[in-house]
Amino acid sequence: QVQLVESGGGLVQPGGSLKLSCLASGIIFSFNDMGWYRQAPGKERELVAVVTTGLSTNYGDSVKGRFTISRDNAKNTVYLQMNSLKPEDTAVYYCSAHFNGVRYWGQGTQVTVSP
């Protein structure tokens, strides 16, 4: 049974930081490209960041220079360090694992950026 469990979300003031974690089980973690996506109310789900099995990274335009994705294969965990947070970063953040055309999703963690 595949499980992706996100943690680290919460309420933060503009300009603040949060670090999200996603612990994966039921997959061969090192074989999977891992990513973070987000969905704000009334909007479509969008890419935040991806880290491939070869440690290449890709970021959505709105988070470049502020967010950093990383992975620890020994811990089956992917991280998202979010700095200089803005109110428009408010969304549910989802962890994703992708391998050979199959994608899995976590349940999501809420991030709210508000004074």
Side-chain angles (χ1 to χ4, degrees), residues 4 9 20 30 61 65 68 77 114:
L4 302 176
L20 305 183
S30 61
D61 287 341
T68 303
T77 301
S114 179

Side-chain angles (χ1 to χ4, degrees), residues 5-6 9-12 32 34 37-38 40 65-66 70 81-83 88-89 99 103 110:
V5 180
E6 302 100 334
L11 174 64
V12 63
N32 281 260
M34 299 299 298
Y37 293 74
R38 68 186 183 186
R66 300 188 297 123
S70 61
Q81 178 66 48
M82 305 185 293
N83 298 329
E88 50 264 43
D89 294 318
F99 170 66
R103 184 180 297 279
Q110 176 70 45

Side-chain angles (χ1 to χ4, degrees), residues 5-111:
V5 180
E6 302 100 334
S7 61
L11 174 64
V12 63
Q13 292 186 341
S17 297
L18 281 176
K19 186 174 184 177
L20 305 183
S21 300
C22 171
L23 175 62
S25 60
I27 59 172
I28 304 175
F29 185 81
S30 61
F31 285 14
N32 281 260
D33 293 338
M34 299 299 298
W36 290 95
Y37 293 74
R38 68 186 183 186
Q39 188 166 19
K43 295 187 176 181
E44 294 187 353
R45 192 171 296 189
E46 65 174 356
L47 169 71
V48 176
V50 172
V51 57
T52 70
T53 58
L55 301 182
S56 297
T57 57
N58 186 36
Y59 294 91
D61 287 341
S62 62
V63 307
K64 286 180 181 177
R66 300 188 297 123
F67 291 10
T68 303
I69 189 170
S70 61
R71 64 189 295 162
D72 186 337
N73 288 347
K75 295 183 178 180
N76 283 8
T77 301
V78 61
Y79 304 98
L80 184 68
Q81 178 66 48
M82 305 185 293
N83 298 329
S84 302
L85 283 160
K86 305 175 181 179
E88 50 264 43
D89 294 318
T90 295
V92 178
Y93 284 70
Y94 296 92
C95 176
S96 172
H98 182 240
F99 170 66
N100 201 26
V102 178
R103 184 180 297 279
Y104 298 101
W105 295 97
Q107 292 297 306
T109 185
Q110 176 70 45
V111 172

